Amino acid sequence: MATPAKKINLSGLARKLVLDGLLEEEAAQEHFQGALKKKQPFVAYLVENDLAPSSEIALAASQEFGVPLLEIDSLELDLDVVKLIKEDLIKKHHALPIFKRGKRLYIALSDPTNLQALDEIKFAVSMNTEAILVEEDKLAKLIDKTLEEMDGGLGGMDDDMDDLEDLEVADETTDQEEDDGDIDDAPVVKFVNKVLLDAIKKGASDLHFEPYEKIYRVRFRIDGVLMEVAKPPLVLSSKIAARIKVMARLDVSERRVPQDGRIKLKLSKTKSIDFRVNTCPTLFGEKTCMRILDSDAAALQIDMLGYEDHQKENFLSNLHKPYGMFLVTGPTGSGKTVSLYTGISILNQVDINISTAEDPVEINLPGVNQVQVDERTGMTFEKALKAFLRQDPDIILVGEIRDLGTAGIAVKAAQTGHMVMSTLHTNDAPQTLTRLQDMGIQAFAVATSINLITAQRLCRRLHGEYREPLEMPKEALLDEGYTEEDVAKGIKLFEPVTGNEDCDTGYKGRCGIYQVMNISDAMKRLIIEGANAVQLADQAAEEGIWDIRKSGLAKAMQGMTSLSEVNRVTVE
């Protein structure tokens, strides 16, 4: 027979809640014991388990004990005041110092009878303490927000350190003498590790560590948009830069010229993430930019990239041609590498010899011969291409066509029985054709060597749960680029709902918008005749090829993104 639970004589706030009818006495006994068992404050236990409303608990406590009830929704905390007590004490008692007057420190509590918290804080800071009553749910949010802000200044770096136990930098060695002690700072090491992990968890594509005259900030690019995540003390800027340079095996003592490196973080025995690192000397110190290179991106299927059905068919039919050029164009960060590697993954078969020249090699693909271009050692794109032509290639991938030498060899390879895949930085597909001619490639060679050009952008994808319909008049829709036929069929547009706890922007992830243009016979004739980009674009439109703008408008009609996001990434 089970032993009945020992009955507790309720007092203080628990007794008040029973008297006010917010809790039955037996239930209060049970909840009080539950809180003791979990070593959790009684009020926090009640609110977390939805056993009593936070606002009614706070009102009852204020009336019973004469403690002022403070509305903290708009309260701006001074982190210097918060840092007067250690983080573990804040968490232990669920108490937060919010301001001080002279030698008196005011502590936000949801249970004013928690005298132990006030006494321990008083002993820790050698100041008198006074309770300020706040609602438990609002206090919990304020504590979480405050501790997260403190993390940005290297406060609370013991948080989530369990996540760092398996974090390992592969081959973290350097030939440099670390005599200045810049990188022997454990808090800096923990901070950098935590920032890298946070970037991975939040799905960032780039990290920026930026020193200025009076501040130092860290920003992540998430879904194509930069956002500030931390403001470490300015005095740590050189130490943080030095730590990252050691991880990337760069010259710690060289601060006057840009450097490029790479970091491989082993998150576990089977999972690792690569970071491409670049340092650049600025007016107030070295700025460090890191690009996250996730090899899992190579596993993307063509259906996941967001091509329309007719674009996908055009993409695949030209991908499987035995020779010619397959070009992907767009600005930095538009997903060109992922598109190319998706194509390479489809072609990567045992009977095909594939060689790539890249700067840097972003994604490691088994079965593909990958060469790292390095200008310092003389291994240029041009030299790599010449070597590939003696390696019995079927498919050659050039990371980027930057100059006439590389472009010339790529065109010759495409004309002599090889499939050549590469990228350029142009705004759309027709401009790519004129750009190659501007480099010095003859119009005839451009017309006869290129099979397909894909121009692309990435726009943020609407979060399915946080979007709402957008009503627009017909005239506005037509001005945006929709046709009379589109309007007649009915256009449903959505816009993001912002300010949500788990998705503040209303967007989650990104989707691609594309212009997939194959080179028709009519297009070839125009190229040879010296047509400009506008004339080539008109011909593409006549052939039914969507430009990037039209592709974006289609994605907005499908509810995948918003019209404002399409406008952000496309230019009419």
Side-chain angles (χ1 to χ4, degrees):
M1 183 174 177
T3 304
K6 181 180 178 181
K7 187 171 182 178
I8 301 173
N9 292 323
L10 296 174
S11 60
L13 182 56
R15 184 66 180 169
K16 171 63 176 173
L17 297 179
V18 171
L19 293 175
D20 284 359
L22 292 175
L23 293 175
E24 296 290 337
E25 185 168 1
E26 290 186 5
Q29 291 273 358
E30 179 184 343
H31 301 329
F32 197 86
Q33 289 178 336
L36 289 175
K37 188 175 181 180
K38 291 188 68 175
K39 297 181 180 180
Q40 188 175 13
F42 179 55
V43 176
Y45 182 86
L46 293 177
V47 174
E48 184 179 297
N49 293 282
D50 293 324
L51 301 171
S54 177
S55 58
E56 294 187 25
I57 294 175
L59 184 60
S62 179
Q63 293 171 348
E64 177 70 10
F65 303 107
V67 178
L69 179 60
L70 178 66
E71 177 59 56
I72 60 170
D73 280 340
S74 59
L75 183 65
E76 290 290 338
L77 288 185
D78 184 347
L79 290 183
D80 290 335
V81 173
V82 177
K83 291 175 183 177
L84 290 174
I85 67 174
K86 292 184 177 180
E87 186 175 329
D88 57 356
L89 210 54
I90 293 175
K91 291 182 175 180
K92 176 182 177 182
H93 294 298
H94 213 60
L96 191 68
I98 53 177
F99 57 87
K100 74 182 181 75
R101 296 290 183 270
K103 286 291 185 179
R104 186 173 296 274
L105 187 63
Y106 292 84
I107 310 297
L109 295 164
S110 58
D111 183 355
T113 64
N114 189 357
L115 300 180
Q116 182 185 358
L118 296 175
D119 289 342
E120 284 195 31
I121 294 173
K122 178 180 179 179
F123 178 78
V125 299
S126 300
M127 297 172 67
N128 293 323
T129 55
E130 186 169 325
I132 298 291
L133 188 62
V134 297
E135 296 177 29
E136 165 59 30
D137 54 351
K138 294 181 179 179
L139 176 61
K141 290 180 182 178
L142 183 61
I143 289 176
D144 289 343
K145 177 184 175 184
T146 303
L147 294 182
E148 184 176 343
E149 291 178 0
M150 289 172 62
D151 281 347
L154 301 187
M157 287 313 303
D158 291 333
D159 282 359
D160 300 325
M161 282 298 113
D162 290 340
D163 292 340
L164 299 176
E165 288 180 359
D166 297 328
L167 188 63
E168 178 184 347
V169 180
D171 300 325
E172 184 183 332
T173 59
T174 178
D175 297 330
Q176 310 302 322
E177 290 294 330
E178 299 161 10
D179 55 356
D180 58 1
D182 273 352
I183 57 174
D184 295 330
D185 196 322
V188 170
V189 172
K190 288 183 178 180
F191 173 74
V192 172
N193 286 350
K194 187 176 190 304
V195 168
L196 299 188
L197 279 180
D198 284 348
I200 295 168
K201 291 176 181 177
K202 293 179 179 179
S205 60
D206 300 87
L207 299 79
H208 295 252
F209 297 80
E210 303 169 312
Y212 298 97
E213 183 178 10
K214 295 182 179 179
I215 63 168
Y216 183 72
R217 71 179 179 184
V218 181
R219 293 191 292 173
F220 291 170
R221 188 178 294 278
I222 300 175
D223 293 336
V225 178
L226 279 171
M227 55 187 64
E228 185 177 291
V229 295
K231 278 189 174 181
L234 182 59
V235 295
L236 296 179
S237 63
S238 61
K239 291 186 176 182
I240 292 173
R243 171 58 188 165
I244 294 173
K245 288 163 79 171
V246 167
M247 296 172 73
R249 306 183 68 182
L250 301 177
D251 186 348
V252 178
S253 63
E254 180 56 76
R255 301 181 177 93
R256 298 166 298 175
V257 297
Q259 296 187 67
D260 291 292
R262 193 181 182 108
I263 297 172
K264 178 184 280 294
L265 286 186
K266 293 183 178 179
L267 302 180
S268 66
K269 292 181 179 179
T270 59
K271 176 68 174 177
S272 64
I273 298 287
D274 287 358
F275 292 80
R276 186 180 72 195
V277 181
N278 175 266
T279 66
C280 181
T282 66
L283 194 59
F284 301 104
E286 285 184 288
K287 177 187 174 180
T288 305
C289 185
M290 307 172 73
R291 165 70 58 88
I292 297 180
L293 311 173
D294 189 353
S295 294
D296 290 345
L300 286 178
Q301 302 298 316
I302 184 71
D303 293 330
M304 298 174 64
L305 297 183
Y307 287 98
E308 303 295 331
D309 288 342
H310 60 92
Q311 293 176 334
K312 172 186 169 184
E313 182 181 349
N314 203 358
F315 182 100
L316 292 175
S317 63
N318 282 278
L319 182 68
H320 288 94
K321 288 186 175 180
Y323 57 85
M325 292 187 74
F326 187 105
L327 301 176
V328 180
T329 183
T332 300
S334 60
K336 299 188 297 296
T337 300
V338 172
S339 292
L340 275 183
Y341 268 88
T342 300
I344 286 291
S345 297
I346 295 171
L347 297 170
N348 188 14
Q349 305 293 331
V350 69
D351 59 339
I352 295 178
N353 179 22
I354 303 175
S355 297
T356 77
E358 303 166 76
D359 182 18
V361 176
E362 296 191 9
I363 300 171
N364 181 28
L365 267 185
V368 175
N369 305 292
Q370 297 173 281
V371 172
Q372 172 72 54
V373 169
D374 189 345
E375 300 283 348
R376 294 172 297 181
T377 62
M379 176 55 79
T380 62
F381 281 117
E382 187 175 351
K383 284 189 176 180
L385 275 174
K386 288 180 178 179
F388 290 165
L389 293 176
R390 303 186 189 98
Q391 291 282 320
D392 185 28
D394 294 304
I395 298 170
I396 296 172
L397 186 149
V398 185
E400 182 184 347
I401 294 178
R402 298 176 179 174
D403 51 48
L404 176 59
T406 305
I409 297 175
V411 167
K412 288 177 182 177
Q415 292 176 323
T416 54
H418 307 93
M419 167 63 80
V420 179
M421 306 176 71
S422 189
T423 69
L424 281 90
H425 284 82
T426 56
N427 291 324
D428 61 16
Q431 288 185 34
T432 304
L433 297 169
T434 55
R435 169 68 178 141
L436 286 170
Q437 294 178 64
D438 290 342
M439 282 185 176
I441 303 297
Q442 292 183 351
F444 177 80
V446 172
T448 56
S449 62
I450 298 176
N451 293 334
L452 181 112
I453 303 172
T454 295
Q456 62 185 70
R457 301 287 188 279
L458 291 177
C459 58
R460 290 180 291 176
R461 185 188 295 268
L462 284 169
H463 194 298
E465 297 180 12
Y466 302 115
R467 65 177 190 174
E468 59 185 10
L470 172 65
E471 298 295 333
M472 292 183 66
K474 175 182 176 180
E475 293 75 14
L477 293 172
L478 294 175
D479 288 341
E480 291 290 347
Y482 288 108
T483 65
E484 291 279 1
E485 185 181 357
D486 293 331
V487 176
K489 290 180 180 178
I491 296 175
K492 289 185 178 180
L493 300 176
F494 296 88
E495 60 183 352
V497 177
T498 59
N500 311 291
E501 283 190 20
D502 56 339
C503 184
D504 183 60
T505 63
Y507 295 102
K508 187 175 183 181
R510 289 191 285 178
C511 59
I513 54 177
Y514 304 93
Q515 179 183 31
V516 182
M517 187 179 82
N518 60 299
I519 309 302
S520 65
D521 290 339
M523 194 83 69
K524 290 177 181 179
R525 283 194 293 270
L526 284 176
I527 296 170
I528 294 172
E529 292 170 1
N532 60 37
V534 175
Q535 293 170 317
L536 294 170
D538 290 340
Q539 177 63 33
E542 285 183 22
E543 295 176 8
I545 295 170
W546 288 11
D547 60 17
I548 293 177
R549 175 73 182 177
K550 188 170 183 178
S551 182
L553 293 175
K555 288 291 191 296
M557 285 179 63
Q558 296 162 14
M560 295 179 64
T561 189
S562 66
L563 188 56
S564 60
E565 183 66 7
V566 173
N567 289 334
R568 184 180 71 85
V569 300
T570 65
V571 179
E572 291 191 82

